[in-house]
Amino acid sequence: MRGILTVILLMMSNVVMTFAWYGNLKLQEMKVSTDWPLILIILASWGLAFLEYCFMIPANRIGSDINDGPYSLVQLKVMQEAISLVVFTLILTFVFKSQTFHWNHIVAFALLIAAVFFAFLKR
């Protein structure tokens, strides 16, 4: 159960963080924030990043084998990066329709999935 909760929290944190990093570009594309000063965009992103931490920190604490969770720190990090790529790809596909996904992105994705596989191999 701790493992599943960790993955769910990591997914939620990555959705929020992807919007913290790239949401301002979507707002600009939609002509919502074209006149906003950069400091306002930074502060809005910081607010989202705080929310992201509200998911990420519990995910790491619940999932870490330091706290009797199922994952080592390396496994948590590699899993987080893979989840981040999946979330980014979905948001890119469904929110940023003007951006395209190419074959080399698929190869990069496959290599990250391979990294997760190797990180979870027993020694």
Side-chain angles (χ1 to χ4, degrees), residues 23-74:
N24 69 86
L25 298 173
K26 185 61 180 178
L27 290 176
Q28 186 177 10
E29 183 180 80
M30 295 168 55
K31 307 281 191 254
V32 172
S33 64
T34 52
D35 296 331
W36 293 10
L38 184 56
I39 190 67
L40 181 59
I41 294 168
I42 291 169
L43 291 173
S45 293
W46 274 356
L48 285 171
F50 172 77
L51 181 59
E52 183 263 345
Y53 271 67
C54 291
F55 295 117
M56 179 64 75
I57 301 304
N60 287 327
R61 291 184 70 86
I62 292 166
S64 172
D65 59 5
I66 293 171
N67 292 322
D68 297 321
Y71 307 118
S72 71
L73 292 180
V74 172

Side-chain angles (χ1 to χ4, degrees), residues 75-120:
Q75 290 172 329
L76 279 169
K77 182 59 181 172
V78 173
M79 185 170 44
Q80 187 278 328
E81 293 298 335
I83 290 169
S84 178
L85 183 61
V86 170
V87 166
F88 176 79
T89 301
L90 291 172
I91 290 173
L92 177 75
T93 302
F94 294 108
V95 177
F96 291 93
K97 296 181 182 189
S98 64
Q99 300 291 310
T100 55
F101 199 61
H102 300 288
W103 71 268
N104 56 319
H105 303 137
I106 295 168
V107 171
F109 178 75
L111 290 172
L112 279 172
I113 296 302
V116 172
F117 171 78
F118 285 110
F120 279 81

